[in-house]
């Protein structure tokens, strides 16, 4: 997912697909022009990347120039009128191929035709990498189209949203569904995860999905997935990731208008993290952050022993068992810390202090997502 200014975009057309589309335009044009030496005219700003890749692929000699749309203050209204400027070269008798990044309404193309009407070119051809047929309301012929796309706003490969996104080598499409904040919450035993999850879900209107709870619910209610999971557990085998993911998927789908999710107890492995990414992707969303409560081992041991005195939980009473659980946590989660760090999504939060202090620290991370 990509955020530019206030909007979110999702991957839409890969670099490879773009390069293939550019190559297909090159092939069609070179086949049509034969030995005629063309002048390729790029329309700035958007076409700079296309023109660069295009001429590098073009197998024969050619000339390249650019023209640009400039705004003029309208006479009768404050509305901007777009005019093309920069055509200084004499194109009399030449074969000209316009290279456009995108043709949307066709207004720009109309300007191109207006400006070229007085040039005595031999042949004027229009090539565009992207074309939105649903938006186009002109009659000018488009000689070469790289790829037809739906009438949705895109960025990347020269195209911008308010100045940003032109530099991206692939194309992203505007996300029209609501943006969610999805957090993987981590913390060693005794870090106060449960307490903080409760505060965060209230504050940000998130749905807290604890895998342990989801398992217990499905098994207790004898759902098909619960029974399937139980069949593995009864044999002493690990429940396959796909079964867990299917259960989580059901939970996510139960909450279609959620502002986001807090995942608790999942993922635990790289494979699970990838599966979770895929699940979120299929919902047009993503995991925004892994937030881990960081608490010193000695503090954890003290807290858990304290809790053991009142809760009567056997695993909270023995210091050896406690230390082992903490060690196991770090052994298991180190991989995930790397997984999310690699995507700049890991946020460690100091988990020592009052409940309110820690909530404030967590909120500071979430507010920036
Ligand atoms: P036209 O409507 O065909 O004249 O396109 C006008 C200009 O709007 C294009 O040259 C682009 O600069 C811009 N444009 C149209 N559609 C998009 C889009 O999806 N993303 C970014 N810019 C766009
Ligand atoms: Mg353009």
């Amino acid at each position: 997912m990509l955020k530019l200014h206030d909007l979110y975009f999702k991957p839409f057309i890969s670099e490879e697909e773009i390069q293939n589309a550019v190559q297909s335009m090159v092939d069609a044009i070179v086949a049509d022009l034969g030995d005629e030496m063309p002048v390729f005219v790029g329309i700035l700003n958007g076409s700079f990347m296309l023109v660069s890749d295009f001429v590098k692929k073009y197998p024969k000699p050619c000339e390249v120039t650019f023209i640009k749309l400039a705004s003029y203050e309208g006479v009768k209204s404050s509305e901007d009128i777009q005019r093309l400027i920069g055509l200084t070269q004499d194109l009399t008798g030449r074969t000209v191929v316009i290279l456009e990044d995108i043709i949307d309404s066709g207004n720009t193309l109309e300007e191109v035709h207006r400006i070229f009407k007085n040039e005595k070119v031999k042949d004027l051809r229009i090539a565009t990498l992207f074309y939105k047929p649903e938006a186009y309301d002109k009659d000018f012929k488009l000689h070469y189209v790289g790829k037809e796309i739906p009438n949705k706003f895109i960025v990347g490969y020269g195209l911008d949203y308010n100045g940003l996104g032109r530099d991206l080598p692939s194309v992203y499409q505007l996300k029209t569904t609501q943006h969610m904040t999805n957090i993987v919450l981590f913390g060693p035993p005794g870090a106060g995860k449960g307490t903080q999850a409760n505060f965060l879900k209230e504050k940000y209107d998130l749905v807290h999905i604890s895998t342990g709870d989801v398992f217990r619910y499905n098994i207790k209610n004898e759902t098909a997935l619960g029974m399937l999971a139980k069949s593995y557990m009864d044999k002493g085998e690990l429940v396959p990731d796909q079964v867990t993911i299917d259960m989580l998927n059901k939970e996510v789908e139960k909450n279609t208008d959620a502002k986001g999710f807090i995942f608790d107890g999942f993922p635990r492995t790289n494979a699970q993290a990838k599966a979770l990414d895929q699940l979120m992707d299929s919902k047009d969303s993503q995991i925004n952050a892994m937030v881990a409560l960081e608490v010193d081992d000695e503090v954890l041991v003290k807290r858990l022993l304290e809790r053991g005195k009142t809760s009567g939980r056997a695993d909270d009473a023995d210091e050896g068992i406690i230390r082992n659980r903490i060690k196991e946590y770090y052994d298991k989660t180190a991989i995930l810390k790397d997984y999310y760090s690699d995507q700049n999504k890991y946020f460690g939060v100091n988990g020592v202090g009052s409940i309110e202090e820690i909530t404030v620290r967590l909120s500071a991370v979430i507010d920036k997502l």
Side-chain angles (χ1 to χ4, degrees):
M1 204 84 37
L2 171 76
K3 187 180 185 199
L4 299 176
H5 301 292
D6 55 328
L7 298 181
Y8 292 86
F9 296 83
K10 60 183 174 187
F12 181 48
I13 306 170
S14 70
E15 282 183 64
E16 192 190 352
E17 212 182 324
I18 294 170
Q19 294 305 324
N20 289 341
V22 175
Q23 187 64 55
S24 73
M25 291 165 74
V26 167
D27 294 344
I29 292 171
V30 82
D32 280 358
L33 300 190
D35 287 328
E36 187 81 36
M37 193 189 321
V39 184
F40 292 114
V41 179
I43 314 293
L44 291 174
N45 290 326
S47 73
F48 74 96
M49 238 189 236
L50 165 68
V51 174
S52 169
D53 284 343
F54 182 96
V55 296
K56 278 180 271 180
K57 293 185 200 296
Y58 199 77
K60 291 188 176 174
C62 61
E63 286 177 47
V64 192
T65 189
F66 289 92
I67 52 180
K68 187 176 166 72
L69 267 177
S71 299
Y72 288 94
E73 190 85 346
V75 183
K76 289 200 181 111
S77 72
S78 61
E79 214 175 279
D80 278 358
I81 292 175
Q82 302 275 346
R83 280 285 147 89
L84 279 165
I85 56 165
L87 189 57
T88 49
Q89 202 173 332
D90 180 15
L91 295 173
T92 308
R94 301 297 302 271
T95 291
V96 172
V97 181
I98 301 294
L99 291 179
E100 262 284 33
D101 45 351
I102 190 163
I103 290 181
D104 186 282
S105 68
N107 289 342
T108 311
L109 189 57
E110 190 165 47
E111 264 302 298
V112 169
H113 279 281
R114 191 193 61 76
I115 205 172
F116 275 89
K117 219 164 56 198
N118 306 323
E119 307 290 319
K120 297 185 171 49
V121 301
K122 181 170 153 198
D123 192 8
L124 180 68
R125 287 168 180 266
I126 310 298
T128 185
L129 177 57
F130 300 120
Y131 168 47
K132 296 178 181 170
E134 294 151 340
Y136 189 60
D137 60 8
K138 303 286 187 287
D139 292 322
F140 305 109
K141 180 176 164 69
L142 308 180
H143 301 79
Y144 310 99
V145 172
K147 188 175 169 60
E148 290 191 5
I149 58 169
N151 190 12
K152 287 194 177 165
F153 194 76
I154 59 172
V155 292
Y157 202 72
L159 293 161
D160 73 310
Y161 166 51
N162 263 349
L164 294 181
R166 290 195 199 280
D167 53 328
L168 301 163
S170 65
V171 166
Y172 292 74
Q173 188 182 58
L174 180 65
K175 240 170 66 80
T176 41
T177 48
Q178 189 198 1
H179 175 65
M180 294 200 283
T181 303
N182 301 306
I183 295 162
V184 171
L185 186 61
F186 264 79
K193 231 168 20 133
T195 312
Q196 294 300 334
N198 278 331
F199 278 109
L200 296 179
K201 78 175 198 203
E202 289 300 319
K203 178 161 180 190
Y204 294 98
D205 203 5
L206 305 176
V207 174
H208 180 196
I209 300 185
S210 148
T211 332
D213 291 347
V214 172
F215 265 100
R216 282 185 286 276
Y217 170 89
N218 277 277
I219 291 172
K220 185 168 157 252
N221 290 287
E222 302 190 351
T223 68
L225 283 168
M227 292 298 92
L228 185 57
K230 193 167 176 296
S231 72
Y232 288 97
M233 291 155 97
D234 288 347
K235 282 183 279 181
E237 289 170 19
L238 284 174
V239 178
D241 288 349
Q242 195 52 51
V243 177
T244 312
I245 278 287
D246 289 346
M247 281 193 215
L248 291 184
N249 186 26
K250 287 246 153 63
E251 290 304 306
V252 170
E253 286 183 346
K254 272 188 214 163
N255 297 284
T256 41
D257 27 69
K259 296 226 171 78
F261 297 92
I262 301 174
F263 293 97
D264 177 355
F266 192 91
R268 289 193 194 275
T269 63
N270 248 321
Q272 291 181 349
K274 285 198 185 113
L276 184 59
D277 280 348
Q278 268 170 24
L279 169 64
M280 297 321 286
D281 197 49
S282 74
K283 307 291 178 222
D284 221 0
S285 191
Q286 66 165 353
I287 295 296
N288 304 87
M290 170 185 183
V291 183
L293 286 168
E294 292 171 343
V295 181
D296 191 74
D297 287 8
E298 299 313 311
V299 177
L300 290 175
V301 171
K302 246 197 351 224
R303 274 193 199 168
L304 288 171
L305 283 172
E306 208 53 48
R307 188 167 86 181
K309 279 185 205 157
T310 50
S311 75
R313 263 178 72 166
D315 58 349
D316 281 351
D318 182 296
E319 187 170 333
I321 295 178
I322 290 174
R323 287 196 186 275
N324 206 39
R325 275 163 61 208
I326 296 171
K327 183 179 174 304
E328 201 182 86
Y329 166 82
Y330 285 111
D331 288 348
K332 288 216 173 118
T333 56
I335 321 161
L336 290 167
K337 183 174 172 177
D338 293 345
Y339 181 86
Y340 289 106
S341 293
D342 287 347
Q343 304 174 48
N344 296 320
K345 288 181 182 173
Y346 177 84
F347 300 90
V349 170
N350 179 3
V352 183
S354 71
I355 291 174
E356 296 76 29
E357 280 168 351
I358 299 165
T359 309
V360 168
R361 289 176 202 146
L362 288 168
S363 302
V365 170
I366 296 172
D367 288 340
K368 278 195 222 127
L369 294 176

